[in-house]
Amino acid sequence: METPPLSELLAIRRQKLQALRSQGVDPFGAAFAVSGSVAEVVAAFQEAALVQVAGRITAYRDMGKSRFLDISDIGGRIQIYFNTKELDESTVAATAQLDIGDFLGVEGTYFTTKTGEQSIRASRLVVLSKSLRPLPDKWHGVQDPEICYRQRYLDLIANDSSRTIFKQRIAIMREIRRFLEARGFLEVETPMMQAVPGGAAAEPFKTHHNALGMDMFLRIAPELYLKRLLVAGFPKVFELNRNFRNEGVSRRHNPEFTMLEAYWAFADFEKMSELVEEMICDLAEHIDVGPVIEHRDDEGNVMRTINLARPWRRAAYRDLIEAAVPGWFALDLAGKRQRCAELKLDISHCEAEFEVTQHVFEKLVEEKLIDPCFVTHVPKELVPLAKLNDKDPSSVDVYELIINGQEISPGYSELNDPDLQRERLEHQAGGEKQCLDEDFLEALEYGMPPAGGIGIGIDRLVMMLTGAASIRDVILFPHLKARAEK
RNA sequence: GGGUUGGUAGCUCAAUGGUAGAGCAGUGCCCUUUUAAGGCAUUGGUUGAGGGUUCGAGUCCCUCCCAACCCA
C-alpha cells in the first residue's frame, strides 16, 4: 500500500528525532526524578534552591544566547531560563532539536527574572519525549469541538477552560465520596453486567457471556442490587459509577453516564432531600462556585443565574402545574388536549392523561425552574416503584429535584412490600416475565427495611455546577460516531 | 429521524463564480531577562469525499461522511 508523504511539519520533527539519536540522545528518555509536579515546584519556590521539574514545553522564546521556555503539566506552568554559555556543548546541541510539545526534564536553581517572574535557571536539560506532531495554536487553543471531543488530550493541553472543568469534576467526585463517608455511608460495587436489567425503564446494551452461555445486559441502574444490600443489613450504602443506556446521544445524553445512588435504611424521601440539599451546597463550596452560580455564553455574558441559597423550595407537582396553567386539573382529557393545542404544546406522542399532564409539567414548569426546587407529591403513574402517600394515594412519596430546568435528582421513600413491588414490576414489564428480576423479589421477601433512596446524574450535576453547555464538555471521552478512515 | 449551520495550511480564521490568503506554529538569519518576545526573510493546500453545471467552482446544484445547535 502506498503511504502518503508526511507533511512538511511531521517530516521536520522526524528529522529532529534522527538528529537527537545521532547526537547520542535518547529522544524517548527514561525516568527522571522530579521535586514534584509543576504546581508543587512553583509553590515550593525558594530563591537559589536546587530543583528538578519535568513537563511539556508549551512555549519557547529564543533570545539568542538567553532562552526561555515554559514547562507545563495539567496543573501548572513554570518558566525555565537557560543560557547557552552555562550549559555543556552536547546539551546546547540537543536544544536545537527541541520543539513545543516535547517533554523535558530540567534541573536548576530557582531565581527571579528582571520582570519579577519566579523561574528556574537550568543547569541540566534532559529530553524525555520527542513530540512528533505539532500542538494546536498556543493562543487560540482548540476551537473545533470535534477535536476537543475526539482528541481530548489536545483540548486539555490547549484549553484552560477545559482543564478547569475536569479539575472541578474530579473535585466533585472526591467530595461526594468524602461527604457520604463522613455520614456513615459505605461505598459498594455491584454488577454492571446483569442478567435482568432493572431499576429503571431504559433500553439496555446487550452482550453475551460465552462460558456461562447466557445473554447479559450492561446495567441501566444499580438500584436492585443496592436494595439487596439493605436486605443484607447495610444501613447506609452508595455506589458512584457508570450506567449504560442504549438510547439517543444529545447535549444531555451520553450512552454511558455516571450515577450516584445512595440508600439510607429507616429514612424517607424527606430526609434524603435534606441530605442532597446539603451535599450539593457543599460541592458548590468545594469547587468555589457557590452559592450563586452564573452560566455564561461564549462571549462571557451571564446567560443564567442559579441561586443555591438554602433552604431550597419544596412544592407539590399539582400546585406547580396549576400555577402555570390555572384550572388544568378541572379539565377532562379532551379539555387538556384542547388546552395544550392553545398553548402550542405538541402532545402527539402522549396517550394517557398523566402523560399529557407530565408534558405540560416538563415544558411549562420544569424548564422554567432554575433555582433548586424539590417537586413532591408526584403522580404514582410516573414513579411506579415508590411508596404511595398516606394522605393522597394518587401520589407517591418521592421528590424530583429540579435545578437549571433539568431533573438533577430523584429521591424516594422506597417500596419494601414485596407483593406490591411484584405487582408494580409486573405492570411495568407489561407481562414479559423474563423482564422480572425474580432474585430481587425473593430478596425483598426476606425483608427490606423502609429506606430513603436517591439518584443523582453526576454529569448533569457537573454541568449545572460548572456551567458547561453540553454533557460532552464534562465527560473526558464522550462517544461520537466513528470517523471515516483518513 | 427532521431542520439549520459548518468542515479551507498543524491550529485560529479570510477569500462577488475569476491567480487560494493572513496570524500563530514551522524553516533560515539577528538578538544575554523574554513571556501572545521582537526584527528580517521564507516554506507549507487533493478547500471533508464523490459527481454535476460552467470558458472557469472553496464559492452554484446533487449524493454521501463528520460535527454543532434546534426539534421529535
Side-chain angles (χ1 to χ4, degrees):
Chain A
M1 209 168 115
E2 196 177 331
T3 52
L6 289 178
S7 85
E8 183 192 14
L9 292 173
L10 300 190
I12 289 168
R13 296 225 172 188
R14 295 275 171 181
Q15 285 163 19
K16 291 180 178 178
L17 182 73
Q18 284 311 313
L20 285 173
R21 286 187 168 133
S22 65
Q23 289 165 18
V25 175
D26 179 0
F28 301 106
F32 183 84
V34 294
S35 308
S37 69
V38 172
E40 287 165 345
V41 164
V42 167
F45 185 88
Q46 191 190 347
E47 196 75 36
L50 189 68
V51 64
Q52 291 86 19
V53 69
R56 195 186 285 278
I57 300 174
T58 49
Y60 196 94
R61 296 178 288 280
D62 184 346
M63 307 283 300
K65 293 186 180 62
S66 275
R67 297 178 195 175
F68 294 86
L69 50 86
D70 292 345
I71 291 286
S72 305
D73 63 19
I74 199 76
R77 179 200 75 92
I78 189 164
Q79 177 171 265
I80 309 299
Y81 165 82
F82 67 92
N83 187 312
T84 51
K85 288 199 162 174
E86 296 172 6
L87 298 177
D88 63 73
E89 233 171 78
S90 61
T91 300
V92 174
T95 65
Q97 314 306 330
L98 290 179
D99 279 303
I100 289 174
D102 295 349
F103 277 93
L104 193 65
V106 177
E107 181 173 88
T109 52
Y110 286 115
F111 88 114
T112 306
T113 65
K114 245 185 214 172
T115 53
E117 177 161 352
Q118 296 184 335
S119 308
I120 294 172
R121 180 189 292 265
S123 51
R124 194 162 69 94
L125 297 176
V126 184
V127 178
L128 299 178
S129 187
K130 182 71 196 153
S131 170
L132 297 176
R133 289 174 180 270
L135 291 185
D137 188 283
K138 63 177 174 182
W139 184 245
H140 298 96
V142 178
Q143 299 295 320
D144 182 348
E146 203 170 342
I147 297 178
C148 290
Y149 299 150
R150 290 191 195 276
Q151 295 175 279
R152 180 69 81 188
Y153 47 92
L154 293 179
D155 176 42
L156 289 168
I157 289 167
N159 296 334
D160 189 53
S161 57
S162 182
R163 285 195 291 272
T164 300
I165 284 178
F166 287 107
K167 284 181 201 167
Q168 287 176 320
R169 181 180 178 126
I170 290 165
I172 287 167
M173 297 292 282
R174 189 197 313 121
E175 180 58 18
I176 289 172
R177 291 192 160 97
R178 194 208 61 78
F179 179 95
L180 290 173
E181 280 165 9
R183 283 157 185 76
F185 285 81
L186 299 180
E187 181 172 11
V188 296
E189 295 170 274
T190 68
M192 293 205 186
M193 296 168 67
Q194 304 179 345
V196 182
E203 184 66 27
F205 285 94
K206 191 177 174 181
T207 185
H208 184 80
H209 192 293
N210 291 339
L212 295 177
M214 64 190 286
D215 286 340
M216 300 194 87
F217 302 87
L218 298 188
R219 75 177 180 197
I220 54 176
E223 174 166 341
L224 303 188
Y225 283 92
L226 293 173
K227 285 180 172 171
R228 284 168 169 87
L229 294 177
L230 292 177
V231 170
F234 284 89
K236 294 176 176 178
V237 292
F238 74 98
E239 183 158 10
L240 179 54
N241 218 313
R242 222 68 61 79
N243 289 347
F244 308 85
R245 296 186 184 179
N246 200 347
E247 295 171 353
V249 174
S250 80
R251 201 168 67 82
R252 293 195 183 86
H253 297 85
N254 194 60
E256 52 181 307
F257 60 98
T258 301
M259 178 73 94
L260 168 70
E261 285 199 16
Y263 293 86
W264 183 354
F266 319 121
D268 61 8
F269 80 101
E270 286 175 335
K271 221 163 173 177
M272 300 312 280
S273 74
E274 286 160 24
L275 182 77
V276 165
E277 181 176 332
E278 194 184 340
M279 184 173 80
I280 291 178
C281 289
D282 174 81
L283 296 175
E285 201 175 303
H286 264 78
I287 62 167
D288 294 323
V289 296
V292 177
I293 297 171
E294 290 181 336
H295 288 188
R296 292 167 188 275
D297 64 15
D298 292 341
E299 280 79 45
N301 305 309
V302 176
M303 301 290 289
R304 199 175 298 113
T305 303
I306 302 168
N307 190 343
L308 296 182
R310 300 181 67 184
W312 289 357
R313 183 180 175 199
R314 283 156 172 78
Y317 184 85
R318 287 179 70 100
D319 295 345
L320 288 165
I321 290 176
E322 276 290 326
V325 187
W328 175 261
F329 288 100
L331 299 169
D332 62 9
L333 179 55
K336 286 187 169 87
R337 288 187 179 277
Q338 175 61 33
R339 196 78 183 86
C340 281
E342 290 163 18
L343 292 164
K344 295 189 165 51
L345 294 178
D346 177 12
I347 49 163
S348 55
H349 59 289
C350 302
E351 288 178 18
E353 191 159 348
F354 79 89
E355 289 176 322
V356 176
T357 299
Q358 173 62 8
H359 191 72
V360 169
F361 175 80
E362 285 170 6
K363 290 295 164 186
L364 300 180
V365 177
E366 184 172 279
E367 287 185 5
K368 294 184 169 66
L369 285 173
I370 302 302
D371 291 342
C373 180
F374 289 104
V375 179
T376 62
H377 299 82
V378 177
K380 66 177 182 195
E381 294 84 359
L382 293 175
V383 194
L385 302 185
K387 265 192 198 298
L388 296 181
N389 184 273
D390 282 343
K391 293 182 189 129
D392 172 15
S394 73
S395 72
V396 285
D397 277 346
V398 308
Y399 73 73
E400 306 248 7
L401 173 60
I402 312 296
I403 312 179
N404 191 27
Q406 288 189 39
E407 187 188 323
I408 291 288
S409 161
Y412 292 14
S413 290
E414 301 293 349
L415 191 59
N416 63 339
D417 176 334
D419 296 334
L420 205 48
Q421 178 79 78
R422 171 178 290 281
E423 201 178 289
R424 301 276 186 81
L425 285 178
E426 280 176 351
H427 183 258
Q428 192 183 45
E432 292 184 53
K433 290 282 181 198
Q434 72 275 19
C435 294
L436 282 188
D437 189 338
E438 288 291 346
D439 185 61
F440 167 67
L441 290 169
E442 183 180 333
L444 280 195
E445 289 180 10
Y446 283 95
M448 185 184 98
I454 57 162
I456 300 183
I458 298 302
D459 309 283
R460 292 182 186 183
L461 177 72
V462 174
M463 286 170 68
M464 189 274 289
L465 289 171
T466 62
S470 167
I471 196 168
R472 295 175 212 109
D473 296 327
V474 301
I475 291 174
L476 280 169
F477 301 101
H479 290 290
L480 300 183
K481 269 195 184 183
R483 197 162 33 176
E485 211 176 316
K486 280 187 194 174

